Amino acid sequence: AGYNLIIASAGTGKTSTIVGRIATLINSGVKPSEILLLTFTNKAAKEIIERVNRDIGYPWSYYIWMGTFHSIFSRILRREANILGFTRNYTIYDTTDSRSLIHSIIKELGLNDKQYKPSTVLSRISNAKNYLNTPADYAKNKEAYESDCLAKMPAIRDIYDRYWERCRQADAMDFDDLLFYTFLLFHNHPEVLARYQELFRYVLVDEYQDTNYAQHCILCQLMKDREKQHICV
């Protein structure tokens, strides 16, 4: 119960402990649908899902919410897309899609794509999103602007603003948006957050040391009620 942190070196059985905890929860009467298991890479998710299916078995494993942060949050966002102004069939842009759009915006703004390399611009926008900065936040951020000027890219805030709007117009999100919009969904719609807090009573995170700021903040949102919520990382 409560908050649990497992610290151990590689290969010592942390993941086995997570799987064992899930089995213990189910054996003690917790509904599988109240369990959320998060990990990072698709490979890690595949491995831990296989272990849960093997050790816990069907039908219980079928009802557990298991997957990467991005896949689980994408699932939530498709359920709640209309609230955010998207359709449930929104497109997910990969890195190539995002770079292509940014390259187009750089050209539209009459900027030099040798100075404003799309990959560099995308990296800065990604960093802004991972620290939960909207285009408006970014435009007001003096340190970010000074950093962009130092890198001879003062127009990044303008590119970010247009990129954000163009994604929305195209009914599309990039990978960082899957985190950012989940945070915004819970932050701006407390009634939605309350539903997921009630749904995810037991949260488990594998490889927690890899969480970024946005992922950590979303976990904090879900864990607001310490009396009802339980997390093991």
Side-chain angles (χ1 to χ4, degrees):
Y3 287 30
N4 294 276
L5 172 64
I6 301 166
I7 303 174
S9 57
T12 53
K14 296 188 297 298
T15 301
S16 296
T17 302
I18 290 283
V19 176
R21 179 173 169 79
I22 293 173
T24 300
L25 289 171
I26 292 172
N27 289 336
S28 66
V30 173
K31 296 177 183 177
S33 59
E34 294 180 334
I35 299 171
L36 170 63
L37 171 58
L38 295 166
T39 189
F40 289 85
T41 65
N42 289 324
K43 181 183 177 184
K46 183 174 181 289
E47 288 175 358
I48 199 167
I49 288 169
E50 286 175 353
R51 290 174 70 170
V52 169
N53 287 336
R54 183 191 67 207
D55 296 353
I56 295 172
Y58 185 85
W60 298 278
S61 61
Y62 176 80
Y63 295 100
I64 301 169
W65 286 64
M66 297 186 287
T68 64
F69 276 87
H70 289 85
S71 67
I72 294 296
F73 293 163
S74 173
R75 187 174 164 188
I76 291 171
L77 289 171
R78 291 203 186 278
R79 282 182 160 197
E80 314 294 344
N82 293 338
I83 297 174
L84 295 167
F86 291 87
T87 71
R88 292 192 173 190
N89 296 316
Y90 66 82
T91 301
I92 299 176
Y93 281 170
D94 62 18
T95 303
T96 301
D97 297 324
S98 295
R99 283 180 185 166
S100 178
L101 176 53
I102 285 172
H103 186 263
S104 297
I105 293 169
I106 289 168
K107 290 295 187 183
E108 289 169 12
L109 293 173
L111 301 169
N112 186 336
D113 61 1
K114 297 290 189 291
Q115 181 180 351
Y116 289 86
K117 292 181 179 178
S119 58
T120 303
V121 174
L122 179 59
S123 177
R124 291 199 170 221
I125 290 173
S126 174
N127 189 59
K129 288 183 178 182
N130 284 327
Y131 280 96
L132 306 175
N133 287 309
T134 64
D137 296 328
Y138 194 78
K140 291 184 290 187
N141 189 318
K142 185 180 177 182
E143 287 183 7
Y145 182 63
E146 288 176 350
S147 174
D148 292 341
C149 287
L150 197 63
K152 298 182 179 178
M153 294 185 292
I156 283 186
R157 58 187 183 180
D158 302 315
I159 299 170
Y160 182 17
D161 183 61
R162 190 167 295 199
Y163 175 72
W164 179 276
E165 288 304 320
R166 290 281 289 276
C167 285
R168 291 189 65 85
Q169 290 167 11
D171 193 30
M173 298 185 194
D174 63 23
F175 289 127
D176 297 313
D177 288 330
L178 298 178
L179 305 179
F180 200 174
Y181 276 112
T182 300
F183 174 83
L184 292 174
L185 173 70
F186 291 160
H187 183 268
N188 296 331
H189 303 278
E191 74 287 355
V192 176
L193 173 59
R195 276 196 280 115
Y196 286 97
Q197 287 173 327
E198 187 65 28
L199 177 61
F200 302 138
R201 299 287 298 279
Y202 295 86
V203 177
L204 302 99
V205 185
D206 199 27
E207 306 294 349
Y208 181 72
Q209 73 277 2
D210 292 332
T211 49
N212 64 21
Y213 180 73
Q215 291 162 334
H216 174 75
C217 287
I218 295 166
L219 289 172
C220 287
Q221 288 175 316
L222 289 171
M223 295 294 110
K224 266 187 174 179
D225 191 340
R226 286 174 174 263
E227 292 184 7
K228 291 184 179 179
Q229 309 303 129
H230 309 274
I231 186 166
C232 177
V233 303

